[in-house]
């Protein structure tokens, strides 16, 4: 089968429709908006490519102007999808591309009309695509294989359209949009079919990696509070403990909520869950970014702090204790005060075992409970031998 313009457009329609359907199915299962935006882009390409077939039948307004406008809209969807995927806000100035395209409708239909239209359209698509590629830069973190592939596919696709614009506007390449005439048009049709396939594959791989990351995060998180669970704490704590020294000491805080059962008994288990969530929010707001916070289960929590002195640890514990007491009393009053008892083990030696530090903090926590609860008790870890 010869690769004439109609055949290439039919191939593009089939590939774009398949990509739109597949990405829509993926969106139904994971509800990631970037998938929906990318699927919309391929759906628009499907419609635009179908309309482009009509230009050979003399429907130039629909087959050229409207079809090419849809191609620009499709790439705008790709940019919006990448922006959502990377959590980047794009400027509203990009809407000027739509205004520029409407102004192009006022261009006179001279002999150079096809070449000017093709050049300006190519510049718009190049700008949208290259911007999408730039949003996928690593920014200090390694990209997934799918995201890196998508970045370079978009980069090459955008560079092609930039070269296409230069050829049409500067080099004066022969172009006949109505009859698909000119080498530039033929090459563009071939590149379009290949780009649809490669972009779709890259987008699918990108989202699959994001989904796998989320599954890993869910496995490491407590489902109620969003904090680390016990298993994740045991896996990540050794890295922090290995960095400790006399110059950079650390601390492990074991926290228990006093009289928590009264909240469940008087206000219901849903109220108890809300209180646990409120406490986890306090932890996220009060702790530094390099701290580890985990829920061991029930109303027991663990915090690992790096590079902190004894007075700083005490201040952190007191701030948490006071803030939580205020939240608990205001939201769920009980006969006995719902408060925090905190046991702290301080360490300044690398290689200490998490279990040993937990045991020491547990002993300190018992002291806090025995002394009347609602307080912070601390113990140094100088008596603990380093782990083998």
């Amino acid at each position: 089968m010869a690769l004439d313009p109609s055949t290439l457009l039919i191939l593009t329609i089939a590939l774009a429709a398949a990509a739109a359907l597949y990405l829509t199915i993926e969106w139904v299962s994971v509800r990631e908006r970037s998938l929906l935006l990318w699927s919309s882009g391929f759906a628009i390409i499907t419609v635009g490519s179908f309309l482009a077939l009509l230009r050979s039948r003399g429907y130039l307004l629909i087959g050229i102007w409207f079809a090419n406008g849809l191609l620009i809209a499709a790439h705008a969807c790709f940019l919006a999808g990448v922006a959502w995927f990377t959590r980047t806000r794009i400027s509203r100035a990009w809407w000027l591309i739509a205004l520029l395209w409407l102004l192009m409708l006022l261009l006179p239909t001279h002999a150079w009309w096809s070449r000017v239209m093709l050049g300006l359209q190519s510049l718009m698509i190049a700008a949208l695509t290259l911007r999408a590629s730039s949003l996928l830069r690593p920014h200090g973190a390694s990209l997934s294989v799918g995201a890196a592939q998508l970045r370079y596919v978009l980069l090459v696709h955008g560079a092609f359209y930039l070269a296409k614009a230069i050829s049409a506007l500067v080099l004066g390449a022969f172009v006949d949009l109505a009859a698909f005439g000119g080498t530039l048009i033929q090459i563009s049709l071939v590149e379009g079919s290949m780009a649809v396939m490669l972009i779709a594959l890259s987008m699918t791989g990108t989202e699959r990696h994001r989904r796998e990351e989320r599954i890993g995060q869910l496995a490491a998180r407590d489902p109620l509070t969003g904090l680390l669970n016990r298993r994740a704490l045991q896996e990540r704590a050794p890295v922090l403990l290995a960095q400790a020294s006399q110059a950079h000491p650390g601390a492990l805080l074991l926290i228990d909520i006093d009289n928590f059962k009264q909240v469940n008994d008087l206000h219901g288990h849903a109220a108890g869950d809300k209180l646990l969530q409120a406490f986890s929010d306090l932890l996220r707001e009060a702790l530094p970014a390099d701290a580890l916070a985990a829920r061991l289960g029930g109303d027991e929590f663990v915090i690992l702090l790096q590079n902190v002195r004894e007075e700083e640890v005490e201040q952190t514990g007191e701030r948490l204790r006071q803030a939580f007491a205020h939240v608990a009393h205001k939201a769920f009053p009980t006969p006995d005060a719902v408060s925090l008892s905190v046991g702290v083990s301080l360490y300044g030696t690398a290689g200490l075992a998490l279990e040993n530090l937990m045991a020491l903090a547990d002993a300190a926590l018992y002291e806090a409970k025995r002394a009347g609860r609602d307080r912070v008790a601390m113990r140094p870890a100088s008596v603990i031998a380093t782990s083998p």
Side-chain angles (χ1 to χ4, degrees):
M1 182 170 57
L3 292 179
D4 56 89
S6 295
T7 301
L8 287 170
L9 280 172
I10 293 172
L11 178 61
T12 300
I13 291 170
L15 290 172
L21 179 61
Y22 182 79
L23 290 171
T24 300
I25 293 172
E26 288 285 293
W27 172 78
V28 170
S29 63
V30 298
R31 298 290 175 174
E32 175 65 33
R33 185 176 295 183
S34 57
L35 284 172
L36 189 59
L37 288 167
W38 291 338
S39 175
S40 300
F42 285 115
I44 292 172
I45 289 176
T46 302
V47 176
S49 298
F50 176 78
L51 294 179
L53 289 170
L54 300 178
R55 70 179 68 176
S56 60
R57 295 177 177 269
Y59 299 101
L60 300 185
L61 180 62
I62 295 177
I64 297 179
W65 283 114
F66 194 66
N68 287 355
L70 288 179
L71 189 59
I72 296 171
H75 285 79
C77 287
F78 292 161
L79 172 59
V82 171
W84 182 266
F85 178 81
T86 57
R87 305 295 186 261
T88 304
R89 184 183 295 274
I90 54 177
S91 171
R92 293 182 179 179
W94 288 98
W95 287 103
L96 292 176
I97 286 182
L99 177 61
L100 179 59
W101 180 254
L102 292 176
L103 291 176
M104 286 175 60
L105 294 175
L106 302 178
L107 285 175
T109 56
H110 292 305
W112 43 265
W113 170 78
S114 290
R115 184 159 52 86
V116 171
M117 177 184 176
L118 183 65
L120 292 178
Q121 170 210 344
S122 299
L123 283 176
M124 295 177 194
I125 293 176
L128 291 166
T129 309
L130 292 175
R131 177 55 179 156
S133 177
S134 71
L135 293 182
L136 289 166
R137 292 195 307 271
H139 298 295
S142 59
L143 287 174
S144 68
V145 174
Q149 184 182 39
L150 179 59
R151 177 193 175 196
Y152 288 111
V153 168
L154 291 174
L155 180 63
V156 172
H157 186 55
F160 171 81
Y161 268 93
L162 184 61
K164 181 178 173 181
I166 294 173
S167 299
L169 293 174
V170 179
L171 302 181
F174 170 72
V175 173
D176 185 353
L177 291 177
F180 297 105
T183 303
L184 190 59
I185 299 296
Q186 299 292 327
I187 294 174
S188 181
L189 289 171
V190 174
E191 191 275 342
S193 298
M194 294 177 60
V196 165
M197 179 177 61
L198 291 175
I199 292 174
L201 289 173
S202 301
M203 287 174 174
T204 302
T206 298
E207 268 308 330
R208 184 177 295 115
H209 185 271
R210 171 69 64 84
R211 189 189 317 165
E212 291 171 354
E213 282 185 336
R214 286 179 178 171
I215 292 173
Q217 290 173 356
L218 289 174
R221 297 285 171 179
D222 172 62
L224 177 63
T225 64
L227 300 176
L228 297 177
N229 55 30
R230 183 188 292 268
R231 179 179 177 182
L233 175 68
Q234 292 172 340
E235 291 176 352
R236 302 186 189 190
V239 177
L240 269 65
L241 297 178
Q243 299 171 1
S245 65
Q246 290 296 327
H248 302 285
L252 184 146
L253 287 71
L254 185 60
I255 303 174
D256 186 77
I257 300 179
D258 305 317
N259 302 312
F260 180 72
K261 186 175 182 298
Q262 293 186 20
V263 176
N264 287 331
D265 292 343
L266 294 175
H267 302 281
H269 288 277
D273 289 345
K274 289 182 180 179
L275 187 59
L276 293 174
Q277 291 169 339
F279 179 56
S280 66
D281 291 338
L282 284 176
L283 291 179
R284 278 186 278 268
E285 294 172 2
L287 298 180
D290 59 356
L292 289 185
R295 182 190 179 200
L296 298 182
D299 58 348
E300 196 171 32
F301 298 81
V302 171
I303 300 171
L304 266 177
L305 297 176
Q306 296 186 84
N307 197 26
V308 288
R309 301 293 174 181
E310 180 175 345
E311 58 274 13
E312 295 173 313
V313 177
E314 186 173 10
Q315 290 171 4
T316 298
E318 288 296 330
R319 283 199 305 269
L320 287 174
R321 186 185 62 78
Q322 294 173 15
F324 178 76
H326 175 73
V327 170
H329 177 73
K330 183 178 180 181
F332 307 109
T334 53
D336 299 315
V338 177
S339 57
L340 297 182
S341 290
V342 184
V344 181
S345 55
L346 305 166
Y347 59 93
T349 305
L352 294 177
L354 176 65
E355 294 77 10
N356 292 339
L357 289 172
M358 291 274 290
L360 191 64
D362 189 53
L365 177 62
Y366 178 75
E367 289 180 4
K369 294 278 190 181
R370 189 173 55 182
R373 303 178 178 179
D374 192 21
R375 65 194 65 229
V376 179
M378 294 189 289
R379 282 193 176 188
S382 55
V383 297
I384 299 179
T386 58
S387 61

